[in-house]
Amino acid sequence: MPVPLSPEEAQQFHASDAAPAAFLDLLDAVSFRSVGAGLRLGVFEALASGPLPVERLAARTGTDPLGLRILLDALTSFGYLVRADGRYANSVNTTRWLLRSVPDSFAPVLAFWSALLTGWWHDLEMSIRSGTPTGDFYAWLEERPETLADFQTMLRRLADGLGAEIVELVPVPADARSMLDVGGGHASYPVAFLTAHPQLRATVVDLAGALIQGAETIAAAGLTERCTLRAGDLFEVDYGTGHDLVLLFNIVHGYQPAETLTLLRRAAAALRPGGRVALLEPLAEAPEQPAGLGEAFVRMFSLNLFHTQGGRAYGHDELVGLLREAGFTDVRQQVLSGSETDHLVTAVLAA
C-alpha cells in the first residue's frame, strides 16, 4: 500500500517541490518488495490467529529472528502490520485483503505481480533496447506452479466479476451449438455461457498447467459432459471447426500484430460462416478511458506485456484493422460497466 504520510508530509510532497517525489517511489518500491516477501514467507497467514512475538513468529515461518524483526518493522511502517507490547499483528487492511482464506483476497494478485516484477523486470532495459522480450512468459509460468495458480486465480476472479455482463452482451443465436475458448484455462467464461445457453457445448484450449483449474471449475458446475479441454500451444493445437462463437479473452495483447493476426485467422478458420469472435482487451488510448488509476494501469500493463511477451495494449483502430484483415466484419466495441479498463470487442466472420 502507499507509504502513509502525515498531513504535513503530504503537503510537502504534493503541494511543493521541497522534496523529490521520486523518494516516495523509492519507499513504495521497497514496500511492494517487502509485502511480497511477507506473503512468500507466510508472515500474514501465521498472524491470522492473533498477535505473536518475533521468536514465535520466526519459529512458525522458519526464518531468522533478527532478519524477520527487521522485515516486520518495515511492514509496520508501511501499514501492513501493527506492533504493540512487543508483539506483531496484521493490520485491518491486511486482514481484509491479504489472507488467502478471505473472500476476494488480493493475495493471489499481489503474489503474482510480486513474483513477476521482482523476478523478471531486472532486465527491462534489455527489452527496450532490443525490441524483443527477454524470455518466454508462459514457459516461465509453467516452471512455477504456485505463480501459475495465482495467475489463473487472478483471471478467474476477473471472469467471475465480468462473466454475467459479457454473456448478456454477446449475441448467441438459438441454433448455436458450439463455442471455443482460446487461452481461457480457468474455464469461467465457458461455464457462464453454457449455464446461460443449455444448447451449447464448449471446447477450451490452453497449456496443460492452466487447464488444471479449469477442470475443477467445470466439474464444480456439473458441466463436464458439455465441455472438452484440449491442451497445447495456441498456435498449434487443433481448434476444431464449425464453432458458432470463439472467445479470445485477455490473449491478443500478449503478441505482436503478425502473431495476433495469425490467432485471429485461426479463430476465423474455426468458425462457421456468420459465426462471431469476441475479444476482451484493455485498449490503449480508448476514448472512453478516464484519466487516473485505470489509464495508469493500462500503460503499466502495456509496458509489462512488451517486456515479458513482446506484446502491448492495442489501440481500438489497430485491433479493428487486424480483425478486418482476418476476414471479420461488423466490429463493435462495448465498455464494460464492471471494469473501467476492459473492453469487449466483437466481430462477425464474413459469410
Side-chain angles (χ1 to χ4, degrees):
M1 64 186 67
V3 176
L5 298 176
S6 68
E8 294 77 13
E9 289 172 323
Q11 182 179 10
Q12 179 185 23
F13 278 99
H14 298 298
S16 74
D17 58 359
F23 180 65
L24 289 183
D25 293 336
L26 169 62
L27 292 178
D28 285 340
V30 176
S31 173
F32 177 76
R33 182 65 180 90
S34 299
V35 71
L39 280 171
R40 284 186 288 274
L41 292 170
V43 169
F44 308 122
E45 300 294 338
L47 291 173
S49 56
L52 289 174
V54 170
E55 292 74 15
R56 288 183 60 189
L57 187 55
R60 287 193 183 184
T61 56
T63 55
D64 173 70
L66 176 58
L68 179 62
R69 179 182 64 76
I70 294 172
L71 174 64
L72 297 178
D73 287 341
L75 290 171
T76 300
S77 293
F78 298 139
Y80 290 102
L81 299 178
V82 294
R83 180 183 178 184
D85 300 324
R87 299 189 300 174
Y88 295 87
N90 290 330
S91 68
V92 172
N93 279 335
T94 294
T95 299
R96 170 62 185 90
W97 293 109
L98 294 185
L99 300 181
R100 290 182 178 268
S101 60
V102 303
D104 301 322
S105 170
F106 194 68
V109 180
L110 186 57
F112 166 75
W113 281 105
S114 176
L116 181 65
L117 296 180
T118 61
W120 201 333
W121 271 49
H122 62 281
D123 58 354
L124 174 63
E125 296 82 358
M126 291 181 62
S127 64
I128 303 302
R129 287 192 179 104
S130 67
T132 59
T134 58
D136 184 327
F137 174 69
Y138 290 104
W140 180 85
L141 277 179
E142 286 278 288
E143 294 170 356
R144 295 161 176 80
E146 291 184 0
T147 302
L148 176 58
D150 285 334
F151 178 66
Q152 288 296 318
T153 296
M154 183 172 65
L155 295 181
R156 178 177 55 78
R157 294 264 183 85
L158 177 66
D160 290 344
L162 300 179
E165 182 180 5
I166 288 174
V167 168
E168 287 291 324
L169 291 173
V170 177
V172 177
D175 61 350
R177 292 293 180 267
S178 178
M179 67 171 292
L180 169 69
D181 187 354
V182 178
H186 52 81
S188 293
Y189 291 114
V191 165
F193 275 94
L194 266 58
T195 301
H197 303 284
Q199 81 278 16
L200 278 180
R201 297 182 63 87
T203 298
V204 183
V205 298
D206 210 332
L207 298 173
L211 290 171
I212 294 173
Q213 193 174 99
E216 297 172 351
T217 301
I218 292 165
L223 295 170
T224 303
E225 297 301 317
R226 294 172 56 199
C227 194
T228 300
L229 302 180
R230 190 169 295 164
D233 185 286
L234 300 187
F235 291 88
E236 298 175 0
V237 66
D238 182 12
Y239 285 1
T241 58
H243 298 293
D244 300 281
L245 173 66
V246 174
L247 306 183
L248 282 161
F249 284 2
N250 295 300
I251 294 297
V252 303
H253 56 230
Y255 301 101
Q256 292 284 357
E259 297 168 307
T260 293
L261 182 58
T262 297
L263 285 176
L264 292 175
R265 283 174 170 163
R266 296 203 77 205
L271 281 167
R272 63 167 177 78
R276 192 178 305 270
V277 67
L279 293 81
L280 185 65
E281 287 291 314
L283 296 180
E285 309 298 336
E288 303 86 351
Q289 180 67 56
L293 287 178
E295 180 184 47
F297 174 80
V298 172
R299 292 178 177 179
M300 178 280 291
F301 187 51
S302 190
L303 178 60
N304 176 68
L305 290 167
F306 183 82
H307 176 54
T308 61
Q309 299 178 60
R312 65 183 184 280
Y314 281 91
H316 173 264
D317 291 346
E318 186 176 20
L319 195 56
V320 169
L322 289 168
L323 282 163
R324 288 176 175 163
E325 190 173 353
F328 291 97
T329 62
D330 191 23
V331 182
R332 302 186 182 186
Q333 174 199 358
Q334 294 167 292
V335 180
L336 299 177
S337 63
S339 170
E340 66 174 325
T341 58
D342 291 288
H343 300 253
L344 180 68
V345 179
T346 61
V348 176
L349 182 63

